[in-house]
Amino acid sequence: MKAATVVSGRAAGTAGNARHLPLAKPVAEIPTGKLVTLRRKAKTCRACPLWRNATQTVFGEGPASAKAMLIGEQPGLQEDQSGKPFVGPAGHLLDRALDEAGLDRDTLYLTNTVKHFKYEMRGNTKLHKRANASEQAACRMWLAAELLRVQPRVVIGLGAMAAQTLFGDAFRITRERGQWRELGEEVRGMATWHPSAVLRMPKPDQRHQAYAELVADLRDVVAVLADMA
């Protein structure tokens, strides 16, 4: 699959300097700067209404030189409170899977497709609510900026939202999970289960199987990175 061609006035300058990103969905404009600058800019993002009820922006985390980027869907309650990605129950499960697969989280760049927590109130409880298409589109510029800054060799979509951002709306985790795709020159991508999806599965045997598949896919990441070294 070819990477989406993205032209941005600020990031690319002119159409002659078009940037190529491993995204199936277009991005009209991409913020510039190093990760520390992008994180600062994202704190005051007002591109969609989600900032109004969120505690803070949850930007990506990890080294700018990371060879692999893991992209989730959107922050949960714990992420909203801490400002860090993957620190809640799904993050703990991901940490366990990374450890079993032989991946050091500190060497990875972890982020989300959407940077603000979206929820609905159920009594006194904030329940996760999926960001809609326009909210995802508004936030895509930050993901594009992270990809351009980090330039990972391997990109992993965790869950349907991230997978469809990378590979298009026709992509289905249940059908295409674990399949490698070319996302541009020397960039490979794959999608697998989001840890929160594993946790939500109703039956223990379903959770066990999905978790085993997540670990197996992460082990494939280790193998691909070794081949690229």
Side-chain angles (χ1 to χ4, degrees):
M1 172 182 289
K2 291 185 178 180
T5 301
V6 181
V7 182
S8 164
R10 283 190 295 180
T14 66
N17 294 323
R19 297 293 190 94
H20 292 271
L21 285 167
L23 296 175
K25 297 185 178 183
V27 183
E29 192 170 0
I30 307 173
T32 58
K34 295 182 179 179
L35 288 176
V36 64
T37 302
L38 293 170
R39 186 174 289 108
R40 186 187 73 247
K41 290 179 178 179
K43 285 183 179 180
T44 58
C45 182
R46 302 293 184 265
C48 81
L50 292 185
W51 68 272
R52 294 193 180 112
N53 295 320
T55 301
Q56 58 192 312
T57 303
V58 181
F59 204 72
E61 190 173 67
S65 60
K67 300 300 182 188
M69 180 183 287
L70 273 61
I71 304 170
E73 298 190 334
Q74 58 193 66
L77 178 62
Q78 288 86 350
E79 289 78 13
D80 177 64
Q81 294 171 341
S82 70
K84 296 178 178 294
F86 292 99
V87 295
H92 297 322
L93 187 141
L94 178 61
D95 285 343
R96 181 158 60 92
L98 289 171
D99 186 61
E100 287 190 35
L103 277 168
D104 182 355
R105 174 168 171 153
D106 290 340
T107 67
L108 308 172
Y109 191 88
L110 272 63
T111 191
N112 283 300
T113 309
V114 173
K115 312 300 189 193
H116 283 116
F117 177 38
K118 183 177 182 178
Y119 62 90
E120 59 184 4
M121 296 301 300
R122 187 79 56 85
N124 293 323
T125 304
K126 295 178 179 179
L127 295 182
H128 169 276
K129 186 175 182 180
R130 181 183 173 90
N132 62 35
S134 64
E135 291 160 347
Q136 293 178 43
C139 209
R140 204 171 296 137
M141 62 179 175
W142 299 114
L143 178 59
E146 289 173 299
L147 284 161
L148 286 178
R149 173 52 58 185
V150 178
Q151 297 187 13
R153 301 286 303 281
V154 171
V155 182
I156 306 300
L158 300 173
M161 183 188 295
Q164 291 173 1
T165 299
L166 291 169
F167 308 128
D169 287 338
F171 188 94
R172 295 293 180 270
I173 291 283
T174 52
R175 186 175 63 230
E176 298 167 280
R177 177 204 59 79
Q179 298 178 15
W180 287 103
R181 299 187 179 207
E182 301 301 319
L183 289 175
E185 187 177 352
E186 298 184 342
V187 181
R188 301 187 71 187
M190 182 231 288
T192 187
W193 297 111
H194 193 289
S196 64
V198 178
L199 292 172
R200 289 195 305 268
M201 290 181 179
K203 297 181 180 179
D205 60 333
Q206 293 174 323
R207 293 193 295 273
H208 177 79
Q209 179 177 342
Y211 177 77
E213 290 170 348
L214 172 60
V215 172
D217 292 339
L218 293 174
R219 285 180 176 143
D220 277 350
V221 173
V222 175
V224 167
L225 288 172
D227 288 342
M228 289 180 167

